[in-house]
Amino acid sequence: MANREVNLTKRIQTSTGLRYCPVVLSANGRVKPDVVLVNGISERHPEGCYQLEWREGSKRVRISVGKNAADADAQRLRKEAELNAVNHGVTIEHTNTQVGRSLRDAIEHYLEDVRLRVATNKGSANFGRHNSHGCYSTALNYFLESCHKMTIEEIDKRDLLKYANFLREEKDQAPVTVVNKFGIVVSFLKAQGIKTSGPDGMLKPSDWPKATLPEPEIYEQEELDTLFAKCDSDQRLWFEFFLMTGMREQEVMHTYWSDINFTDHTVRVSYKPDRGWTPKAYKARTIPVPEKLITSLLRLNPSKSKLVNGCNLVFPTAGCKPKRDFLDCLKAVAERAGLEPDTCWLHKFRSTFATRCLCNGVDLRTVQEYLGHSDMESTMRYLKPSRSAETRAKMNAIFA
C-alpha cells in the first residue's frame, strides 16, 4: 500500500492575497525558516503560520502548526508516520505523555491569520464588524480565561460547555453574543484539525448555546412619512433604495449602474472583483424594484449610462469610493424629523422590505431569494408578524 504524504506550507500575504505556499528546503534537507516558494521563486515571509496538509479520501485537511519552522517540520514527520502506520493497519496509541500543541500559541497564530485576512480585505468590507480581528481576539482570550488546559489535544466538550456558562455568568454576555463567541471558538478548533461536528464530533447540536431572537422591528408608514419629509432629494433616494430593494448596506455601497436594469426594473447584486468585494455567502441575485425607484434613479442617470461623472458606483463619494456614512446620515435625518435616532438603523429597512413583501402576497421562498438568504429560517427571522386591522378582522371572522 502506497505511503501517504503530508505537505508543509506557510500561509502568507502576497500581492494577490493570502496563499498557502510550499516551504523551501536547505541543502541538508531542513526547512529554511520563513522562506517559501511564490510562483516558483524563493521569497522571505516572516508573517503567517506553517500548515500541515494531507488528504482524507477526497477531502483536503489543513491544520496550523505554529511559526517555528523546525517544530513544524517535526510535526509533519510525526503526522506522516502516523498516517502511514494507520495505512498499513498499525493501531496508534496516544499516551498522556504526548506533548501536544500549545493552546495559547495556537490561538496567537490563529489570530495572526485573522489579522492578515482582515488586512487583505480592508476596504472591501468582506470582513465586517462581526468578523473583525477584535471580535475573534476577545472570544478566544475569554476562552483562555475560562479553560486552563495547556494543549489543543486536551480540549473536550466540557471545556466548551464551561465556556458558554462562563460567558453568561462571569462576563454577563447576551444570549446572541454567547452564541457568536461560542461559534468563533468552534471555528478556531476546526482550524486546528479538531472535529467538532458530525457523528464522531466533539459537539452535538443540543450542546450549542441557544438564543431567543427578538421580534424584528420594522418602520411603520407614519415613521417613513415623517423621515422622508425631512430628507433632501439625495437622502430620500438613498433610503428609498434601501427600503425598496431590501439590500444590505455593503450591497448598496457596491451597487454599480451596470447592476440597474432600467427596462426590466431590476437591481442585481453581483461580485465586484475590481473592488475586491463579494456578496455575502457569495450569493449573487436579481431583485425586482418598483417603477417609482427606477424613475428616481433616472433623474441621476437619464442616459442610462454605466458611468455617471466618470464613476460606476450609484452612490459614490467625491473620489468614486463606496459611500460609507449612510447610517450617520440616517441618524441626522431622524433627529431633524423628531424621531428617536436610536430607533432608526439601516437593517430595519431590510426587515420592512421583507415584511411588506410577505404581507402583500409574495411567497416566502421568493422573499428568501430577494434577500439572498441560503435558508428559509434566516428569512423568517426578518418577518414581523402582522397586527394590522385587516389581520384582526380575519381573526374575528374565523371565530365569529
Side-chain angles (χ1 to χ4, degrees), residues 358 361-369 376-377 379-380 383:
L358 184 68
V362 181
D363 65 271
L364 191 58
R365 176 65 184 84
T366 301
V367 175
Q368 176 191 347
E369 182 65 27
M376 199 79 76
E377 184 179 352
T379 305
M380 293 177 70
L383 305 176

Side-chain angles (χ1 to χ4, degrees), residues 1 81-92:
M1 192 173 290
E82 176 188 320
L83 292 175
N84 286 319
V86 172
N87 208 32
H88 289 82
V90 178
T91 301
I92 303 296

Side-chain angles (χ1 to χ4, degrees), residues 116-140:
L116 287 171
R117 291 204 301 273
V118 172
T120 300
N121 291 281
K122 188 176 181 180
S124 72
N126 283 336
F127 263 73
R129 62 184 182 276
H130 298 303
N131 288 326
S132 69
H133 178 270
C135 291
Y136 275 73
S137 179
T138 300
L140 292 169

